[in-house]
Amino acid sequence: MRRAAFFGGLLVLVLFCGGVMSQQAATAASKQPASGGASLPPAPPVSDATSECLNCHETLHPGIVAGWRASRHAATTVAQAQAVEGLGRKVSSQEVPDALRTVAVGCAECHTMRAEAHADTFDHLGHAVHVVVSPADCAVCHSTEHAEFQQNLMAHAYANLVDNPLYNKMEQAWNGVQVLEQGRLVSVPQDQLTREEACLSCHGTKLEVVGTEARETDFGDLEFPVIAGWPNQGVGRVNLDGSLGSCAACHTRHHFSMKEARKADACKQCHHGPDVPAWQVYAASKHGAVYYTQGASWDFESTPWKAGEHFLAPTCATCHVSLVTTPDGEVINQRTHRMNDRLPWRIFGLPYAHAHPISPQTFKIRNKDGLALPTALDGTPATEFLISAEEQSTRREVMLKTCTACHDRSWAAGDWARLETTI
């Protein structure tokens, strides 16, 4: 019974573990193919702190370890990643703490990172551990990606929903409970857990430490933080260090796979439904048809990602995020985690579409009628809050570079003309 209780008590710690592995796990990871199909170097050592985590968690959570075994974190040190030159480099930070450079990025490397900044940091068997790993932790190695993501609508998705009074009414219309009161049908507000399971599952919750709880374990009674809004991996999650977002929204823990994020199914998790029907549009398109019939044979792991060699039709990431080149290595578009770099239009689930917002904090927008919407109900845009026609043209041309990797310019331009006429 005590051991079972201990298993349950430690589950909260490892749900977001940055990596749990043993020497055996690392050896298995070293057999995974690197970009371009080459073998990865011998598995690096794990730190003493991660080895301590492993003593329990390897047995408790074999699924986490299996994901880790397939990850680059398990098989490559930061120093090795920094030594990569050219387009294949994946670590953007120039300076990384020495303690991280020569070991695998394991559970201790992520769950003790910047411990003083996290409100959920607690003493766990002599280590200052925090439950929630945030984008600001990932930024230690991936600083460029973190900075770009903070300028993205996704990072502000929580506030863009909860701080917009009109969206609150829309949310209530969908999720409220209809009850009969004095002969009239009224909508009772949703409870918080329903809200977290519905809209905030993608928009992100606001995490808060609301207390601690003691659990009986094989090591005695241990205290663990109780976190409101948890679990959640929404793109705009407000974390306990004040940072915004969750890298795991696209790069699911603990594999943190680029392959997964490049597939259209990663975006499908949130971009479907009546309010954001991008997934349905893609699935019904020729691009979607080719992806689902032929995509199983494509290479989603190589860097750079070569159009016409590694894939034959775009996924969401191809157009909006990824570094894409020709088969000869000529760059078509650079990698970006600020997805709006290639978006002239915001095709929103409203009766209208509009030029993309200037600021990712869309809850600040007001139309001519004072409503928190980017256009008036007659279609008049809230121009001061939206990008200019010149900026739209620039972004359109950036996107067209990807289109013309597979299509003639006249085909791609004609498709854009139809899209904008429809808008």
Side-chain angles (χ1 to χ4, degrees):
M1 292 296 292
R2 289 168 63 85
R3 186 167 182 80
F6 177 56
F7 288 1
L10 290 182
L11 178 59
V12 67
L13 172 62
V14 299
L15 280 173
F16 259 54
C17 186
V20 180
M21 69 176 193
S22 62
Q23 293 295 349
Q24 293 84 358
T27 300
S30 69
K31 299 177 182 178
Q32 297 296 321
S35 296
S39 296
L40 290 173
V46 298
S47 65
D48 290 342
T50 290
S51 294
E52 289 187 49
C53 301
L54 180 66
N55 287 338
C56 292
H57 294 295
E58 184 179 32
T59 301
L60 299 178
H61 305 99
I64 290 175
V65 175
W68 224 119
R69 287 173 177 169
S71 77
R72 292 182 180 276
H73 285 171
T76 309
T77 67
V78 175
Q80 289 170 332
Q82 287 182 312
V84 175
E85 297 182 355
L87 298 178
R89 179 168 173 152
K90 300 175 181 65
V91 172
S92 57
S93 298
Q94 298 301 317
E95 299 294 332
V96 175
D98 289 340
L100 299 177
R101 288 175 47 79
T102 57
V103 295
V105 183
C107 36
E109 282 64 47
C110 294
H111 282 273
T112 63
M113 178 74 68
R114 304 168 51 255
E116 71 288 348
H118 291 264
D120 58 331
T121 297
F122 66 108
D123 178 72
H124 184 60
L125 302 176
H127 294 281
V129 171
H130 54 86
V131 178
V132 183
V133 175
S134 75
D137 297 323
C138 301
V140 172
C141 295
H142 303 285
S143 55
T144 298
E145 291 75 13
H146 174 255
E148 290 172 344
F149 187 79
Q150 297 307 300
Q151 302 172 50
N152 184 16
L153 268 69
M154 292 182 182
H156 300 270
Y158 173 82
N160 287 344
L161 175 65
V162 303
D163 291 341
N164 186 315
L166 292 180
Y167 294 172
N168 293 161
K169 292 182 179 180
M170 179 171 63
E171 187 183 9
Q172 171 65 21
W174 287 341
N175 296 331
V177 180
Q178 308 302 312
V179 299
L180 196 63
E181 289 186 358
Q182 298 179 347
R184 297 182 61 187
L185 191 64
V186 298
S187 179
V188 176
Q190 59 190 322
D191 60 54
Q192 183 61 21
L193 290 180
T194 298
R195 194 180 197 194
E196 292 173 4
E197 183 70 3
C199 300
L200 296 184
S201 64
C202 284
H203 280 259
T205 54
K206 185 173 184 178
L207 303 182
E208 180 184 2
V209 176
V210 294
T212 61
E213 63 179 3
R215 301 173 191 169
E216 186 181 6
T217 76
D218 285 352
F219 298 94
D221 290 341
L222 299 179
E223 292 282 337
F224 294 86
V226 178
I227 304 172
W230 185 258
N232 182 265
Q233 54 191 15
V235 293
R237 188 183 69 205
V238 181
N239 297 300
L240 293 162
D241 60 353
S243 65
L244 302 178
S246 169
C247 301
C250 302
H251 302 275
T252 303
R253 60 192 187 280
H254 289 85
H255 192 178
F256 300 108
S257 167
M258 182 172 62
K259 175 180 179 180
E260 178 185 359
R262 281 174 167 177
K263 291 192 173 184
D265 305 82
C267 303
K268 177 186 178 182
Q269 296 172 82
C270 292
H271 289 271
H272 71 283
D275 57 330
V276 280
W279 165 253
Q280 287 91 328
V281 174
Y282 176 80
S285 72
K286 287 297 182 184
H287 290 163
V290 175
Y291 168 67
Y292 275 108
T293 55
Q294 302 182 32
S297 63
W298 297 350
D299 181 353
F300 287 92
E301 296 190 275
S302 290
T303 303
W305 207 20
K306 299 180 178 181
E309 180 176 328
H310 297 144
F311 62 90
L312 299 179
T315 66
C316 316
T318 310
C319 295
H320 298 296
V321 184
S322 296
L323 164 64
V324 178
T325 75
T326 66
D328 293 332
E330 180 183 351
V331 174
I332 297 171
N333 268 320
Q334 292 285 356
R335 180 190 301 112
T336 179
H337 280 64
R338 196 181 88 145
M339 285 67 166
N340 49 332
D341 284 347
R342 308 178 195 174
L343 290 174
W345 293 97
R346 190 181 185 207
I347 308 174
F348 200 37
L350 296 168
Y352 50 78
H354 55 83
H356 214 277
I358 295 173
S359 169
Q361 296 176 311
T362 61
F363 64 88
K364 296 180 179 179
I365 294 175
R366 292 296 182 272
N367 65 16
K368 67 177 183 177
D369 302 316
L371 299 176
L373 291 172
T375 79
L377 296 182
D378 64 2
T380 303
T383 307
E384 64 269 35
F385 296 99
L386 308 177
I387 64 173
S388 66
E390 291 76 16
E391 177 63 20
Q392 282 189 285
S393 179
T394 297
R395 295 186 184 189
R396 186 186 303 110
E397 286 301 315
V398 174
M399 178 69 87
L400 274 167
K401 290 181 181 178
T402 298
C403 301
T404 54
C406 296
H407 297 288
D408 174 77
R409 172 83 186 196
S410 63
W411 178 288
D415 197 58
W416 270 97
R418 290 176 180 172
L419 167 66
E420 295 182 334
T421 298
T422 301
I423 290 173

